[in-house]
Structure formats: structure tokens, C-alpha cells
Amino acid sequence: MKAAILKTLGQPLDIEEMPAPEIGTGEVVVDVAAAPVLSYANEVFNGERRYNIGLPMVPGCGAIGRVRTSGPDATHLKPGDWVFCDPTVRSRDDALMPDIALQGWSARGDGGMRLQRHYHDGPFAEQVRVPTENAIRIGEIDPGDAARWCALNVVLVPYGGLLAANLLAGEILLVSGATGNFGSACVATALAMGARCVVAPGRNERALADLERRFGERVRTVKLSGNEDEDTKRMREAAPGPVDCVIDLLPPSATTTTVRAAVMAVRPYGRIVLMGGVGMLGGAGLDLPYPWIMRNDIVVRGKWMYPPEAVTRMTGLIRSGLLDLGHFDVTTFALDDANAAVSHAAANGGPFRMTVIRP
């Protein structure tokens, strides 16, 4: 099969023929129809993000495809089923504290690297081998829509945070990083889940105006000034009531003061979910006042990715019409043009924009 292979950090992907994956027990081989290219893929491939990866590797993070073959442990999957290939691979030998790797992308700790050595290659290829539980059925789709269904890869990340926050219909949510790729997807997802209002702070006025245009009065935008106390005050004032929950999705380049300004806008007895990348490249940690957290009964939770059942629930939100994939503008590339796709994704990131490879 043909694949795009990352052999050395800082070097272009090599487009080559390689052996097709061989199935084992507990595994599924999927014919890849579409694989998203994350906007920061170039930062992973040149080493800037400092991800733990073993090279050479076929990269990629998530895909839409059709089941080619499944192992004897599969009781529902059958050849031809449309599936989302969830890149979040969890070890099966410790239910309480599973190791996690993102297939074709990154690993966490020694256990994650062991997982990555087995589930090594991602979906920038004609076929990909995944654990049985990671090939999740999405129902019949038009093959021409496969690239747009790659939006699952974007919306599932903030959805995991909103599930962890137990966001309820009628609540007010503040999305820190709302003008980014994952942040804008979080706005759309929270509204689909029934949020009364989403407060969307940011510095990009064009992106803020676009959120207002797309979603109307249920989104209240706030132009950030850089003054922490003033920004916290303005975010509170923008909300139609007390802010029930804050979710942070800011990238590594953001400052901790920007995170804290949003976090401090939450009401007493409110919840905070941290999903962003602040601090991943070094620098100061997030300093929050102990008395404020304790006396106001604030819940602070970190969350990475999403639970396995989130894919099926998100598919339901999409098929019901509550979450419209039509918001996403998709540019596709052939596998032979994988390097051009990586460059395009870096130059064209942001709200509701996707770059997709179609093997």
C-alpha cells in the first residue's frame, strides 16, 4: 500500500509503498477514506512540539474509513462498515490507570511508548490497523462526505471536556480560546448540547464576529484587552447570568494570565476544565488562589481527549441536526500531496477550517 512516512524530524514526509497491515486478534484493518491534517502537524513533524514519537512512522491522528477485515473478537463490525478510527489507544491490562497513546501522533510515558510501538502507524496511508474498540461505527454516509466527517476529530476533543464538566442544558459556558480550531468547535458543540449561552473571549475580532454571525444571540463575544482583571470583569458582564463552567482550550503559545482571566470568571460552586496546551513548551504554571478555590467550592479538572462512548454520542448529535458539519470548510489533498497538505494546514488553521488527505 502507499503511505506518507515521517522518517526524520524536520524532513518532508516520504511517499512510498510499504506492506499492508496484517490483522491480529483484537484488531481491525480499515481502508482509509479521509484523514484530517491538524493545523499544528508541521510543529509535530519538525520537533517543535516535543512529542514522544518513534520514527520512522506513518503519521496522522484519526480518520474516516470502511472496515476491510476484523478479528474474531468483533461481534458487530463487518466489512464495509463506515467507522471513525479513534486515535486514542488505551492499554487493556489496567482498567483503573490505562496507559494512553495517540496512534500515529504521540505517546505519554513509558507505557504509552510501548503502546505506540505496537499501534505505531497512523492513517496517512491507504490502510490503517486499529484496536477493535477504536473502529467505531458512524452509520452509512455518502463517500463524498467522508472528508467533512473528519470534523469528528475536532469536535470530539472539546466534547470530552464538556462531558467531564457535566455541562447541562440551560447552563452558561465560557470558552477560553474560542477563536481557535478546538475552541470554535467547542462553541458549536456546547450549543448543540443545549447551553443557554456561550461566552467567547478572544483577540481576533474577525473570528469573534464570525461566531456571532454563525450562532446569533446565544454567543456573547468579548474582545480581550490583555489586562487580566479587566478581562475577567468584562467576561462576567457579557454573560446573561453567572458563568456555570469555564473550559480552557488555549494553545501552548498562550500566557497563563490569559487562562487565569477566564478561569476567575466562573461563579461560586462552578466548574473549570483545563484541556489546553499552556505550559507544554515550558514557562510558568497556572497560579490560582487557594482561598478562592476552597471558599467558593470550585471544581478544577484536567481532561485529555474524550471517553470511547463520546464518538457514538457525537454521531447522534450530528445525525439529529443539532450539530451541523456544514460549518466546516474542507480542503482535500491526495496522499501523494501529503507535504502540501501539511503546509496548507499550517497556513489555513483556525475556526471551522479543515485540511484533509484522501488516500
Side-chain angles (χ1 to χ4, degrees), residues 174-179 183 199 201 246-250 258-259 262-263:
L174 191 155
V175 179
S176 176
T179 58
V199 179
V246 174
I247 182 169
D248 178 77
L249 290 154
L250 285 166
T258 306
V259 179
V263 163

Side-chain angles (χ1 to χ4, degrees), residues 50 251-257 259-260 277-287:
R50 305 178 190 173
S253 57
T255 64
T256 56
T257 56
V259 179
R260 186 166 53 242
V278 172
M280 288 179 63
L281 300 180
L286 179 61
D287 182 20

Side-chain angles (χ1 to χ4, degrees), residues 5-14 45-46 339:
I5 304 172
L6 179 65
K7 295 182 177 178
T8 306
L9 292 178
Q11 296 298 313
L13 300 171
D14 290 315
F45 299 164
N46 66 22
N339 288 298

Side-chain angles (χ1 to χ4, degrees), residues 69-88:
T69 54
S70 58
D73 64 316
T75 60
H76 295 280
L77 288 172
K78 61 183 184 300
D81 281 346
W82 283 99
V83 293
F84 171 67
C85 298
D86 185 355
T88 316

Side-chain angles (χ1 to χ4, degrees), residues 2 15 39 58 71 84 102 128 149 151 155 181 209 219 255 261 311 331:
K2 186 184 293 183
I15 315 301
S39 61
V58 177
F84 171 67
L102 294 183
V128 64
W149 273 87
V155 295
N181 192 27
V219 173
T255 64
V311 180
T331 303

Side-chain angles (χ1 to χ4, degrees), residues 28-31 65-71 74 76-83 137 140:
V28 174
V29 172
V30 175
D31 290 322
R66 305 188 81 167
V67 172
R68 186 179 186 88
T69 54
S70 58
H76 295 280
L77 288 172
K78 61 183 184 300
D81 281 346
W82 283 99
V83 293
R137 293 177 299 167
E140 287 298 314

